[in-house]
Amino acid sequence: MNIDRWTRRATLLLAALTVLLSGCTTYVTTEVTAFSDWSSNDAIRTFAFTRAANQQNNLELTTYERMVANELTAHAFHEVDSARARYLVGVSYGMRSDMVTVAEPVYYNPWPAPYWGRPFDPWGPWGPWGPYSTTYVNQSYPIFTHLLGVRITERATGKEVYNVTARNSGAESSLVRAMPYLARSALADFPLGNGVVHTVKIPLGTSGGAVNEMAATGAAPAAAPAPASGAKIAE
């Protein structure tokens, strides 16, 4: 799955800030984009996963499908064999890495001990004017962007009815560790309206747990069941 060129610079800048603040952050933040032609009064939500021929024995894909299936189940979906399914669900995923360089200040103390420092002065080790900034040093950090796409089509007609993409960036180098957050975020408020872009925040360490906060922008979501337990949505 490719990252749109026009979003790459903004993604990297945001990811750089994420790395710098990783010591105090407590959330995994994921951007979610949805395109939808979902009927709000559908009663039968049976589904089966569909794969390309070269993915039939892909264990990594199987692992991610189970995570997506768990989230779909929370929205009244029931997995059945493909011959009886009303919907076919396709899962795509990917990860890319980049290096981000950030200029960081370097400070020095022009009055080394024993000439400065408590209890001999009231201002601390730098006196009343410090610390003194001398220069900036470039520090490079690896940034990893994780992606998950979920595409739902009607089996009988082949019509695409829902297509959602979840994307997050940070210092996490493992896609499998990022995937629970991506899966929960992608389907956190299913079904979204067409063209909705919003941000989902899930507490770090909950493996895509139920508590999340959303800030939605764009079109209003389509009529849907209540959000997942604990979800908060700010429009």
Side-chain angles (χ1 to χ4, degrees), residues 1 68 89-94 147-151 163-166 179 186:
M1 187 178 297
V68 171
V89 178
V91 173
S92 57
Y93 57 91
L147 299 156
L148 170 67
V150 180
R151 181 174 184 261
N163 194 329
V164 62
T165 302
M179 190 57 66

Side-chain angles (χ1 to χ4, degrees), residues 151-163:
R151 181 174 184 261
I152 303 177
T153 59
E154 291 180 341
R155 182 181 64 85
T157 64
K159 176 185 176 183
E160 182 179 89
V161 292
Y162 202 71
N163 194 329

Side-chain angles (χ1 to χ4, degrees), residues 188-189 192 198-199 212-217 221 225-228 230-235:
D189 189 34
L192 294 169
H198 73 180
T199 299
N212 49 67
E213 298 176 0
M214 302 179 189
T217 61
K232 298 179 180 178
I233 304 169
E235 296 185 295

Side-chain angles (χ1 to χ4, degrees), residues 29-196:
T29 302
T30 302
E31 181 186 88
V32 177
T33 304
F35 296 94
S36 176
D37 189 21
W38 192 266
S39 172
S40 61
N41 52 8
D42 69 308
I44 303 175
R45 292 187 175 184
T46 55
F47 77 97
F49 288 105
T50 181
R51 297 183 176 188
N54 62 351
Q55 295 179 315
Q56 293 304 312
N57 298 310
N58 188 323
L59 285 175
E60 182 180 13
L61 178 55
T62 299
T63 301
Y64 300 154
E65 285 176 344
R66 290 304 96 210
M67 296 179 188
V68 171
N70 288 340
E71 300 305 326
L72 288 172
T73 299
H75 298 285
F77 281 85
H78 302 281
E79 188 172 5
V80 297
D81 61 79
S82 58
R84 296 189 296 119
R86 180 177 181 181
Y87 301 108
L88 296 179
V89 178
V91 173
S92 57
Y93 57 91
M95 184 177 74
R96 66 175 299 158
S97 62
D98 290 280
M99 295 297 294
V100 173
T101 300
V102 180
E104 297 183 344
V106 175
Y107 301 100
Y108 80 104
N109 180 3
W111 302 98
Y115 304 105
W116 289 87
R118 291 186 173 90
F120 303 106
D121 74 271
W123 297 287
W126 292 290
W129 305 283
Y132 289 73
S133 177
T134 58
T135 187
Y136 283 81
V137 175
N138 289 333
Q139 297 287 347
S140 295
Y141 300 93
I143 297 297
F144 301 92
T145 300
H146 319 98
L147 299 156
L148 170 67
V150 180
R151 181 174 184 261
I152 303 177
T153 59
E154 291 180 341
R155 182 181 64 85
T157 64
K159 176 185 176 183
E160 182 179 89
V161 292
Y162 202 71
N163 194 329
V164 62
T165 302
R167 177 204 321 263
N168 61 38
S169 298
E172 177 56 70
S173 61
S174 170
L175 180 59
V176 70
R177 285 198 292 264
M179 190 57 66
Y181 298 96
L182 292 171
R184 169 53 64 97
S185 299
L187 296 165
D189 189 34
F190 177 88
L192 294 169
N194 189 48
V196 167

